[in-house]
Amino acid sequence: MPEEQLPVLLPKDVDFSVVGKSPITTSKTFVETTCPCCGGPARRETDTMDTFVCSSWYYLRYSDAKNDKMPFAKDKVNKWLPVDQYVGGIEHAILHLLYSRFFTKALRDLGLLDFDEPFKNLLTQGMVLKDGAKMSKSKGNTVDPDEIFENYGADTARLFILSDSPPARDFDWSDAGVEGCYKFLNRVWRLISSNAQNITLDYKLNFPLRKDNDDLVRIVHIAIKGISNDIANDFQFNTVISKYRELVNAIYDWCGKKTQFDDEDKQVVSFAILTLIKLISPVAVHLSEEAWHELGGQSSIHDEKWPEWDENLAKASSITLVVQVNGKLRDKIEADESSSEEDLKQLALSSAKVKEFTEGKTIVKTIVVPKKLVNIVVK
């Protein structure tokens, strides 16, 4: 088109209900035109814009989606962008990511925004496989998520997808795996409901606690620290979910040793289960919300503050010290984690089992690996 005839406006008489072709082809006023060179009848090109033209800047429009005067206001796009975290498949490594960088830098040069890169961080997710092959519509090996939601719920689907492997690796869909995740969530629900009468939202832990209660509190703090760090560390949700299982097992074990609950027990179980609900809420979104309200929560669980751990309590209260004589295992001793190397050395030397192999012999040296091992060398 000659420059004086630009811009060519897109038509409004378009039928968007058509299937199998671009809706713009239904507009006669757009398609049937006059050739600018010879003046004869002509058909206008209907493939007006490459897919990546839209996908290269749509995230900018989100910051000011109702603006009918310009694509976006500069102050709003500078406030919200760049994107903190981009998650995409390997096919996004070129094309979309490449074009979006080009658009962002071009718009920066035009003075429409102030940042250089569209995304701060990229996580390339793995493919979903079925029977060893990439799941795709063309291969007919897809799983209908609506069936999973209907039979097991969305929480189960989310839990299984996240639990199978690190997000950057491919994972194989397994019906048995889905069933296992469903059973785990039911186990979590039973743990919450069976202890509901002992749970109070305004619990208070009064230290020092009895040893069994202190041990559970420590396990919860260790879980908070581990889960928080795993989420922050490249979204390692598979290890997060294994820690959910460990925490649930620990609470079940603790409950199984109780014939009745005194006030201290009620405060501890409240702390443990309410913390579990908060920790599991990013994955079991619906279960955690339902449980929270069943226990008396008024606002959404997702508006609650994320649990914090106490560094002193997030350490194991004891360690298993391996004791060797001339490199051979002779004893295993429970020791306080805060014990000094000298304390561990003396603890090992005082072991009755160790004395059987050291009495009447000369101790050449004692090697201490802190929190792990003492090796006594004799001759």
Side-chain angles (χ1 to χ4, degrees):
M1 296 296 292
E3 188 172 347
E4 60 270 15
Q5 294 185 30
L6 296 178
V8 175
L9 300 179
L10 293 173
K12 295 184 177 179
D13 56 337
V14 175
D15 181 6
F16 286 97
S17 65
V18 297
V19 177
K21 61 179 180 179
S22 172
I24 202 173
T25 60
T26 64
S27 171
K28 290 187 177 181
T29 60
F30 183 81
V31 174
E32 298 174 3
T33 187
T34 301
C35 177
C37 298
C38 69
R43 291 181 61 81
R44 200 185 303 276
E45 173 61 66
T46 56
D47 193 1
T48 58
M49 193 177 295
D50 183 82
T51 304
F52 289 103
V53 172
C54 297
S55 65
S56 293
W57 74 277
Y58 70 91
Y59 47 89
L60 302 173
R61 175 68 178 175
Y62 284 150
S63 66
D64 196 10
K66 296 183 179 181
N67 193 329
D68 60 359
K69 305 298 182 184
M70 59 183 75
F72 48 78
K74 185 175 181 179
D75 60 336
K76 289 186 177 181
V77 80
N78 283 333
K79 175 183 177 181
W80 287 102
L81 277 293
V83 173
D84 293 295
Q85 178 66 50
Y86 183 100
V87 180
I90 190 64
E91 66 272 12
H92 290 189
I94 56 172
L95 302 179
H96 172 50
L97 290 178
L98 181 67
Y99 296 158
S100 60
R101 295 189 71 215
F102 170 81
F103 266 64
T104 299
K105 293 178 183 298
L107 292 169
R108 175 205 61 196
D109 292 347
L110 291 169
L112 297 177
L113 47 82
D114 293 338
F115 45 91
D116 297 330
E117 296 287 350
F119 316 116
K120 290 183 179 180
N121 194 48
L122 168 66
L123 172 63
T124 302
Q125 66 193 32
M127 297 289 185
V128 181
L129 308 178
K130 183 78 184 297
D131 301 324
K134 177 184 175 182
M135 193 182 287
S136 68
K137 291 181 180 179
S138 62
K139 294 182 179 180
N141 64 345
T142 58
V143 174
D144 186 351
D146 288 338
E147 293 183 10
I148 303 297
F149 301 158
E150 180 69 25
N151 295 325
Y152 300 103
D155 285 350
T156 296
R158 187 182 299 105
L159 179 71
F160 172 62
I161 291 171
L162 296 175
S163 67
D164 188 82
S165 63
R169 284 175 49 190
D170 297 342
F171 88 94
D172 212 329
W173 184 271
S174 162
D175 292 337
V178 175
E179 182 72 29
C181 288
Y182 179 67
K183 289 180 179 178
F184 171 70
L185 289 179
N186 274 278
R187 191 164 184 256
V188 172
W189 182 262
R190 289 194 301 272
L191 177 64
I192 297 168
S193 60
S194 64
N195 286 284
Q197 73 278 8
N198 294 316
I199 296 174
T200 175
L201 296 180
D202 57 348
Y203 65 84
K204 184 177 181 180
L205 299 178
N206 294 311
F207 295 94
L209 302 170
R210 295 193 302 272
K211 186 179 186 308
D212 60 334
N213 290 342
D214 185 73
D215 288 342
L216 181 60
V217 169
R218 288 180 180 278
I219 288 171
V220 175
H221 277 274
I222 290 169
I224 297 171
K225 180 179 180 180
I227 290 168
S228 301
N229 289 339
D230 285 354
I231 291 175
N233 181 26
D234 295 329
F235 305 103
Q236 295 295 328
F237 282 108
N238 59 310
T239 56
V240 166
I241 290 165
S242 69
K243 289 180 174 64
Y244 290 158
R245 296 181 185 275
E246 292 171 2
L247 179 55
V248 169
N249 288 339
I251 300 174
Y252 263 110
D253 290 344
W254 179 87
C255 291
K257 297 174 183 176
K258 300 288 180 179
T259 55
Q260 60 183 11
F261 285 70
D262 61 19
D263 184 64
E264 181 178 295
D265 295 331
K266 291 179 180 179
Q267 304 306 310
V268 169
V269 77
S270 297
F271 164 68
I273 290 181
L274 292 173
T275 301
L276 169 65
I277 295 172
K278 292 177 183 179
L279 291 174
I280 207 171
S281 64
V283 178
V285 176
H286 305 288
L287 180 148
S288 58
E289 182 77 351
E290 185 74 15
W292 181 251
H293 286 287
E294 286 288 323
L295 295 174
Q298 299 301 310
S299 60
S300 170
I301 184 66
H302 307 293
D303 290 330
E304 291 295 308
K305 186 179 179 182
W306 185 255
E308 296 180 354
W309 71 87
D310 183 309
E311 195 62 54
N312 291 322
L313 292 174
K315 298 177 181 178
S317 57
S318 64
I319 59 171
T320 300
L321 181 68
V322 174
V323 183
Q324 298 175 336
V325 178
N326 289 346
K328 293 184 179 181
L329 176 64
R330 298 305 182 189
D331 199 4
K332 290 183 178 180
I333 305 171
E334 288 298 309
D336 192 297
E337 189 187 46
S338 61
S339 299
S340 65
E341 291 189 22
E342 183 61 30
D343 291 338
L344 295 177
K345 176 181 175 181
Q346 295 304 320
L347 192 63
L349 291 171
S350 63
S351 164
K353 293 180 180 179
V354 170
K355 287 180 178 179
E356 293 177 14
F357 300 92
T358 59
E359 285 183 350
K361 297 181 181 180
T362 302
I363 297 176
V364 178
K365 61 180 176 179
T366 303
I367 303 168
V368 179
V369 179
K371 300 181 182 180
K372 292 183 179 180
L373 177 147
V374 174
N375 183 28
I376 304 167
V377 182
V378 299
K379 68 176 182 179

